[in-house]
Structure formats: C-alpha cells, structure tokens
Amino acid sequence: MKLQQLRYIVEVANNNLNVSATAESLYTSQPGISKQIRLLEDELGVQIFKRSGKHLSQVTPAGKEIIRISNEIMGKVESIKAVASQHTHPDRGSLNISTTHTQARYALPSVIQDFIKRYPNVSLNMHQGTPAQINEAVSKGTADFAIATEAMHYFSDMVMLPCYYWNRSILVTKEHELAKRYLSGEQITVEHLAQFPLVTYIFGFTGRSELDEAFNQAGKEPKIVFTATDADVIKTYVRMGIGVGVLASMAINEEQDSDLVAIDGSHLFKASTTQICFRKGTFLRTYMYDFIEGFAPHLNRNLVDLAVQAKNPRELERLFADIELPIK
C-alpha cells in the first residue's frame, strides 16, 4: 500500500469519480491512476469502486470507509509537512480561507490587512461560496479555515469556534411606507414586513433561516421576490424599488447608503453566530493561531487548543459558556 494510491482514491472521490479530471488535477496520466487503484484493490481484496465498462460508477460500502480513512491519513501527511515547515520556515507558508461574500466584504478586510503586514511571506488566499461549498473546500483540504454562519450541520467533522454575533437590518428607500412609519416612531413588526415584497439572501445562506423562523413564529409567509448571495446586490435592488431589503447590519454603510433608511431588526430576528472552523487533526501553525485571534480576539491560542481537545459539542459549549461574544 502506497501513499500515492491513497491520494488517488481520495482525489477520484473528490472529483465525482472522474478519473480524467483527477489525472488533470494531479498532473499525471489517467491509465496510471486506474492501474494504481486496481493494484490497491487487489492488495486489499475488496473493490473500492464499482465500474460500468471502463468508467467508475459508484463507491462501494467498503470503499467509503477506505476513502474516509485515507482522507484522514492524507490530512496527517499534510500535518507532518506543516510541522516541518513550522521549524524550518516559521513565517512562510500559505493560508486558504473559504467564506461567504458578507464575511469577505465586511468582516475580514481589516483582519487580512493586519495579517499581511505581520506575515508578508505567507500566501493568503480567499475563496467565496455557499455554506456547502465552504464545507467541501475544508473537507477536501483545499481550504484551511471556513468562516460561515448558516448550515453549520455541514461541519460535523470540524472544530467550530464561535467568533461573534450579528443581526439584520431592514433597508428601504426614504419614500417607502416603512421608512415613514419608522421615522414617526412606530416600531416595525413582522406583520408590517409581511405586507411587502422582500429582497434578501438565498435560503441556506448568511442567516436566512432566522428570517424564515421569525415569519413562521408570527404565522406569516414572507413574500420573497428576489434573493442573492451578495449584500451589495440586495441594496441595488432595494434602490430600484423591487422590495424591502433584509440583510446583515454590518453590510450597511452610513455614508455609502445615506440614500436609504436602515431599520434595526434585532427585535424581530434572533442573532446569528459566525464561526471559524477547521478540520479535526489539522496542525495549526503559529500564523494560523494569530489569524484566528486577529479575527476573534477572545480566541487565543490556549482557548483554541482546549477547543481542539473537546470530546463532544456539549464540552465545547461549556468551554465558551462564560465568554461574551462581541456583536457586529
């Protein structure tokens, strides 16, 4: 059994059983990969993949377990390399972050600016996507950290560290009826919102579930006419009069959005928690600890290490029970 063979089966699974795509991503030949997979199956005495003609069609039950363990092994290999690099080049390396547009646009710029000043020899790469795509990037090892809010059940094999709370604002034009109600001192309710078309985030994205829950509790159905992953796009459509915007408060800039009226929605929607996640077993280099603390100052190295050692979600929850998270 060779590490190369384990890498091949992991990458084939990551590429949806497409051997050609796997060969291209690994800069090797398709016949070479197929041969090594056959040799590994012969050695183990089980099929890892079912075949339809010359094509791989399905992962076998045994194959799923073998690939899972192989993925863990490849993660350990990367950790060994990281340990070596930590001693030979402590201030050099790479850091890949997978996150949503809202985090990338509004929460991360100052953190990244400070990090680059401190670690100019670390290559920092950011990838934006949906929660499912973010999880996939970390699971495959193409991202070191995931920073996200929604769909955290995707991250069952991750260490999850709570960073801060955030809430939503209602955004309307100055001529809108809700703006007039708000400026006259009236408190805006879910019942008010239910009367108008809404422009907000795509379901399963950036705190959208809290909006849906608020409407469900009020026994109302939101009239969502337009959804997007980008807060700036949502603001554009609010300006066009398409609907009432419901978006992250951190995405609203007093100067740039002075032509709109922002109404605090914290009395309507539960706060969401943004978390930074990484794969269990990841060797964290010094600059990774520093990035985490730069993003969430309460997450010092000692606390992160304790979180890594937590045996279950309940133990992790107790660890953060007495920590008051900031609100953005």
Side-chain angles (χ1 to χ4, degrees):
M1 187 184 305
K2 302 175 183 177
L3 282 175
Q4 183 189 53
Q5 294 171 330
L6 302 185
R7 182 180 298 278
Y8 283 168
I9 63 172
V10 167
E11 290 303 316
V12 165
N14 288 342
N15 282 283
N16 298 315
L17 309 188
N18 188 322
V19 180
S20 296
T22 303
E24 186 176 341
S25 67
L26 296 177
Y27 303 100
T28 187
S29 69
Q30 180 178 341
I33 291 179
S34 297
K35 178 182 178 181
Q36 290 301 321
I37 291 176
R38 284 287 192 188
L39 289 173
L40 179 60
E41 289 177 325
D42 289 343
E43 179 181 349
L44 296 176
V46 295
Q47 268 195 314
I48 297 172
F49 302 103
K50 290 184 179 179
R51 292 163 174 81
S52 177
K54 294 183 179 180
H55 301 286
L56 303 182
S57 60
Q58 191 177 347
V59 181
T60 66
K64 290 179 181 178
E65 284 299 302
I66 292 169
I67 290 171
R68 181 186 64 79
I69 296 170
S70 297
N71 201 28
E72 292 175 0
I73 291 171
M74 298 316 300
K76 294 294 184 182
V77 170
E78 292 303 314
S79 292
I80 290 171
K81 293 178 181 178
V83 170
S85 296
Q86 175 67 22
H87 288 276
T88 56
H89 302 291
D91 297 327
R92 294 184 181 182
S94 65
L95 180 58
N96 296 286
I97 301 165
S98 188
T99 189
T100 63
H101 170 270
T102 298
Q103 302 297 330
R105 173 70 175 82
Y106 300 103
L108 283 166
S110 61
V111 177
I112 288 175
Q113 186 177 42
D114 292 341
F115 180 85
I116 290 174
K117 287 180 181 178
R118 185 170 183 181
Y119 293 101
N121 294 319
V122 173
S123 175
L124 186 59
N125 307 290
M126 187 183 299
H127 312 276
Q128 295 180 40
T130 65
Q133 291 169 336
I134 292 167
N135 172 67
E136 184 179 25
V138 179
S139 296
K140 289 182 177 180
T142 56
D144 300 300
F145 294 150
I147 299 175
T149 300
E150 280 284 10
M152 297 311 292
H153 60 275
Y154 284 121
F155 300 94
S156 59
D157 59 340
M158 307 290 176
V159 177
M160 298 184 291
L161 308 173
C163 299
Y164 62 85
Y165 297 125
W166 62 271
N167 215 307
R168 294 141 204 81
S169 287
I170 301 155
L171 199 63
V172 292
T173 60
K174 291 182 177 180
E175 299 77 23
H176 198 279
E177 182 183 333
L178 288 181
K180 296 174 183 177
R181 288 175 178 266
Y182 171 69
L183 294 174
S184 68
E186 187 174 350
Q187 188 176 65
I188 302 304
T189 66
V190 172
E191 286 74 16
H192 289 141
L193 286 180
Q195 299 173 26
F196 302 98
L198 302 182
V199 179
T200 189
Y201 298 109
I202 292 172
F203 184 76
F205 206 89
T206 316
R208 166 68 186 277
S209 63
E210 307 300 350
L211 180 150
D212 294 313
E213 183 178 339
F215 273 84
N216 286 337
Q217 289 181 350
K220 298 292 183 178
E221 185 75 24
K223 301 175 184 176
I224 297 173
V225 295
F226 180 84
T227 60
T229 61
D230 186 326
D232 293 327
V233 172
I234 292 173
K235 287 189 277 186
T236 295
Y237 281 84
V238 170
R239 289 186 171 95
M240 291 170 59
I242 300 298
V244 173
V246 181
L247 69 167
S249 297
M250 73 178 86
I252 299 173
N253 183 288
E254 288 187 9
E255 292 184 9
Q256 296 175 1
D257 302 319
S258 59
D259 59 321
L260 300 172
V261 175
I263 304 169
D264 179 26
S266 59
H267 65 291
L268 300 177
F269 313 111
K270 289 197 304 184
S272 294
T273 305
T274 289
Q275 305 196 53
I276 187 167
C277 318
F278 53 88
R279 189 165 53 176
K280 292 178 181 177
T282 299
F283 175 78
L284 296 177
R285 298 187 58 179
T286 298
Y287 62 75
M288 292 180 172
Y289 282 107
D290 288 344
F291 179 87
I292 293 173
E293 190 168 1
F295 184 63
H298 62 282
L299 294 176
N300 56 55
R301 185 168 187 155
N302 180 58
L303 186 57
V304 172
D305 285 342
L306 289 173
V308 170
Q309 295 166 18
K311 297 177 182 178
N312 52 60
R314 185 172 297 179
E315 189 173 319
L316 187 65
E317 193 174 312
R318 285 199 299 268
L319 186 63
F320 291 97
D322 297 327
I323 295 176
E324 187 173 346
L325 298 182
I327 300 174
K328 292 189 179 182

